[in-house]
Amino acid sequence: MATREIKIFPDPVLRAETKKIDKFDDELQKLVSDMFETMYFSDGIGLAAPQIGVSQKVVVIDYHGDKYTLVNPVITKCEGSVVNEEGCLSFPGIYEKVSSPEKISVDFYDEKGNEHSLDLDGFIACVFCHEIDHLNGRMLIDRVSPVKKTFIKKKLAKREGSKR
Ligand code: NI
């Protein structure tokens, strides 16, 4: 296992189109274990492959010990709307109240190629939506007001500048 570098907004890889996984091979197992390690190292509860620069449909989640690997996930049903405070490893230091579906149904494969269907509600539904959004190039910044968008861009640009 190895930790990988987390890509920070506005890295273009976060907007790149992602490919479906068609082989459940050793390369996928390595990607998944690296993603878990990177997520734990960064104290995250979810991580999508584009966030480490890999344009593939893979997500890992560990929410209070409930671990999920989502390969080629598809949300098949959304109901209701709730507001939660969300953060994102690609937006360090940014936490925003945004709305997401209250209940979802999701189909996905695990890293071994087994099919799963889940009905979820509560914060875990929000985590699934947030991570699956990453596979479609959609992020936290796309879900806030124009004023907040400007604020977030400035804050991250400042952070980037201070590293040099
Ligand atoms: Ni995120």
Side-chain angles (χ1 to χ4, degrees), residues 51 88 130 134:
Q51 293 183 275
C88 179
H130 178 117
H134 273 297

Side-chain angles (χ1 to χ4, degrees), residues 13-30:
V13 75
L14 293 169
R15 295 286 193 199
E17 203 179 315
T18 56
K19 284 197 186 118
K20 273 191 179 176
I21 295 290
D22 53 12
K23 276 184 258 160
F24 295 84
D25 56 6
D26 288 351
E27 202 181 321
L28 176 65
Q29 313 309 314
K30 164 108 178 77

Side-chain angles (χ1 to χ4, degrees), residues 68-81:
Y68 303 91
T69 301
L70 316 182
V71 175
N72 304 339
V74 177
I75 293 176
T76 57
K77 209 171 79 183
C78 289
E79 265 180 54
S81 171

Side-chain angles (χ1 to χ4, degrees), residues 46 51 87-91 130-131 134 139-140:
Q51 293 183 275
C88 179
L89 294 175
S90 296
F91 294 81
H130 178 117
E131 299 309 332
H134 273 297
M139 287 171 279
L140 193 52

Side-chain angles (χ1 to χ4, degrees), residues 39-144:
M39 177 180 73
Y40 291 135
F41 182 76
S42 310
D43 267 330
I45 56 176
L47 184 73
Q51 293 183 275
I52 56 163
V54 175
S55 300
Q56 294 182 336
K57 296 193 187 295
V58 182
V59 160
V60 298
I61 291 169
D62 186 337
Y63 182 58
H64 294 313
D66 289 335
K67 288 167 72 164
Y68 303 91
T69 301
L70 316 182
V71 175
N72 304 339
V74 177
I75 293 176
T76 57
K77 209 171 79 183
C78 289
E79 265 180 54
S81 171
V82 280
V83 173
N84 288 298
E85 190 174 69
E86 295 185 30
C88 179
L89 294 175
S90 296
F91 294 81
I94 308 283
Y95 297 91
E96 292 293 340
K97 284 192 170 131
V98 287
S99 64
S100 64
E102 191 176 7
K103 288 182 180 180
I104 61 164
S105 299
V106 58
D107 293 345
F108 58 97
Y109 295 88
D110 62 28
E111 73 281 11
K112 302 291 179 202
N114 302 306
E115 274 185 83
H116 300 268
S117 278
L118 289 178
D119 298 316
L120 299 168
D121 57 40
F123 193 66
I124 190 69
C126 165
V127 176
F128 269 63
C129 288
H130 178 117
E131 299 309 332
I132 294 170
D133 271 353
H134 273 297
L135 304 181
N136 301 309
R138 188 167 182 260
M139 287 171 279
L140 193 52
I141 196 161
D142 304 316
R143 299 159 61 207
V144 299

